[in-house]
Amino acid sequence: MSDTDDREHADHPDASQYIVIGIILAVFTAIEVAISFASVPSEIAIPALIILTVLKFELVVLWFMHLRFDSGWFRRRFEFGLASGLIVYAAAIS
């Protein structure tokens, strides 16, 4: 490995940080399942599920797809796709 490769990967997290992110994702999923099975009014459940979905999307994209460490241009493309998807979803359910 060259010196350049060492500098490129110096900011990447170690395995313990990925485990923490995995636990956070599992907790978010458990909350989503609990909301789905509980008698939560749809006025609360739907926005809560959408927010949790967006948070999970951001965590997966930023950490597991390593966009946190890439150019901001890539991150903006994914965020544009997320925003576009939310707009299409909102138009479809309205």
Side-chain angles (χ1 to χ4, degrees):
M1 227 159 71
S2 69
D3 187 42
T4 305
D5 290 338
D6 289 338
R7 277 186 266 121
E8 284 181 9
H9 298 289
D11 295 334
H12 285 269
D14 59 356
S16 66
Q17 289 176 322
Y18 286 109
I19 291 170
V20 169
I21 296 298
I23 291 169
I24 292 169
L25 291 170
V27 169
F28 284 173
T29 302
I31 293 169
E32 288 174 338
V33 171
I35 289 172
S36 297
F37 284 111
S39 298
V40 178
S42 61
E43 297 83 19
I44 297 170
I46 293 172
L49 291 171
I50 290 172
I51 290 169
L52 286 168
T53 301
V54 168
L55 289 173
K56 286 171 52 175
F57 173 83
E58 289 287 329
L59 279 174
V60 169
V61 167
L62 292 176
W63 286 89
F64 292 103
M65 295 179 70
H66 305 284
L67 284 185
R68 183 172 169 239
F69 311 103
D70 284 340
S71 167
W73 185 81
F74 294 119
R75 186 179 309 147
R76 285 189 296 277
R77 288 188 55 114
F78 267 92
E79 289 171 353
F80 176 76
L82 174 63
S84 299
L86 288 173
I87 289 168
V88 169
Y89 179 73
I93 65 171
S94 62

